Amino acid sequence: MAISAEPRQTAPLHVSTLRNGLKVLVQEEHTAPLASVWCWYKVGSKDERPGLTGVSHWVEHMNFKGTTNIPRDRIKGIIEQFGGAWNGYTWIDQTTYLETATRDALDRMLFIESERMAHCLYHPDDCESERTVIIAELQGGENDPDQLLDQEVTATAFKAHPYGHPTIGWLSDLQTMTREDLYAYYRRHYVPNNATLVIVGDVDTGDVMRRVEHHFGPIPAGELLPRQRT
């Protein structure tokens, strides 16, 4: 006689908002001793104005360059010592950072994201070195016929909409953007009331929320500007 296993019960999704406006989602998933932290910001290339195209993507690059409390040469190793991986990406509607590692790295992952939200440095030398990197990335994409065609078709289709410019930006803007432009954009958009923090894995929701409050609770809410109509 066949014996069917009892279906595994999934813990309910926990959703809450800190006093500073940070939205927090926690999903317990105990199938493996891992934890994953994602921090989503409601900012992307659609939020850019003419003259600053590509700033969202450039800011994302700068937010891997160390913080007030994490030297740039050590930030990568914080996750890797736990066998984990981390990354980030920018798109038209969002910028996202993520880490996945063993569950005992949870506090460090939250610390990194709280530092990224409030204490990135934007050293002028780093800004200039990333200008070279991003321009090279743009020019490399222009050598890809598929990517070049997609860029031109999108720019034609969205002539009067910020979706029309590529996420990486236009070359003329990348050549003239300043450190002050980058830092001002970072400080305007990287605030708790413009972010959603998602934690999934072999964690306890109550413990997660205590850690989130500790790391993110002291960060003040920002004054968000009206968004462009889409």
Side-chain angles (χ1 to χ4, degrees), residues 1-229:
M1 183 169 80
I3 300 176
S4 59
E6 287 288 329
R8 184 174 57 84
Q9 297 295 315
T10 301
L13 175 67
H14 172 85
V15 181
S16 61
T17 303
L18 302 190
R19 289 186 297 274
N20 58 14
L22 177 66
K23 187 174 182 179
V24 184
L25 280 66
V26 183
Q27 178 65 66
E28 295 186 22
E29 178 53 69
H30 301 288
T31 53
L34 301 173
S36 189
V37 172
W38 293 59
C39 194
W40 302 70
Y41 292 90
K42 290 180 282 188
V43 60
S45 57
K46 73 169 176 55
D47 298 289
E48 300 164 358
R49 61 173 175 81
L52 285 182
T53 65
V55 65
S56 301
H57 175 247
W58 195 342
V59 162
E60 178 224 317
H61 277 226
M62 295 307 303
N63 291 349
F64 284 88
K65 299 297 182 182
T67 72
T68 302
N69 297 301
I70 309 176
R72 61 171 297 171
D73 60 340
R74 297 183 185 178
I75 191 167
K76 185 178 179 182
I78 292 175
I79 298 302
E80 292 186 347
Q81 67 178 312
F82 289 90
W86 70 329
N87 212 331
Y89 68 88
T90 307
W91 193 227
I92 54 179
D93 295 309
Q94 80 270 354
T95 305
T96 306
Y97 303 89
L98 56 134
E99 297 90 19
T100 300
T102 54
R103 64 189 175 195
D104 51 342
L106 174 63
D107 199 68
R108 290 164 177 81
M109 292 189 280
L110 295 173
F111 171 63
I112 288 173
E113 290 310 322
S114 65
E115 281 287 300
R116 199 189 320 262
M117 182 179 289
H119 299 299
C120 288
L121 299 175
Y122 287 70
H123 191 283
D125 291 345
D126 288 333
C127 293
E128 286 306 313
S129 67
E130 283 308 303
R131 187 193 308 274
T132 302
V133 169
I134 292 170
I135 289 176
E137 185 180 340
L138 180 149
Q139 293 172 335
E142 290 177 342
N143 292 326
D144 181 338
D146 288 340
Q147 186 168 326
L148 185 59
L149 176 62
D150 179 72
Q151 176 178 297
E152 294 300 321
V153 169
T154 300
T156 301
F158 293 99
K159 286 183 179 180
H161 192 286
Y163 280 3
H165 62 258
T167 300
I168 198 169
W170 298 117
L171 178 60
S172 58
D173 293 342
L174 298 176
Q175 290 172 329
T176 58
M177 213 175 304
T178 67
R179 184 266 179 190
E180 287 68 32
D181 293 328
L182 295 168
Y183 190 74
Y185 194 83
Y186 163 65
R187 285 281 31 103
R188 183 180 309 121
H189 295 286
Y190 281 71
V191 291
N193 48 320
N194 197 43
T196 298
L197 185 67
V198 181
I199 302 98
V200 178
D202 190 16
V203 298
D204 173 77
T205 298
D207 176 63
V208 169
M209 290 308 302
R210 286 188 291 272
R211 295 175 188 271
V212 169
E213 182 65 47
H214 171 73
H215 288 295
F216 292 88
I219 302 174
E223 183 178 349
L224 298 177
L225 299 177
R227 297 183 179 278
Q228 298 185 49
R229 291 184 178 180

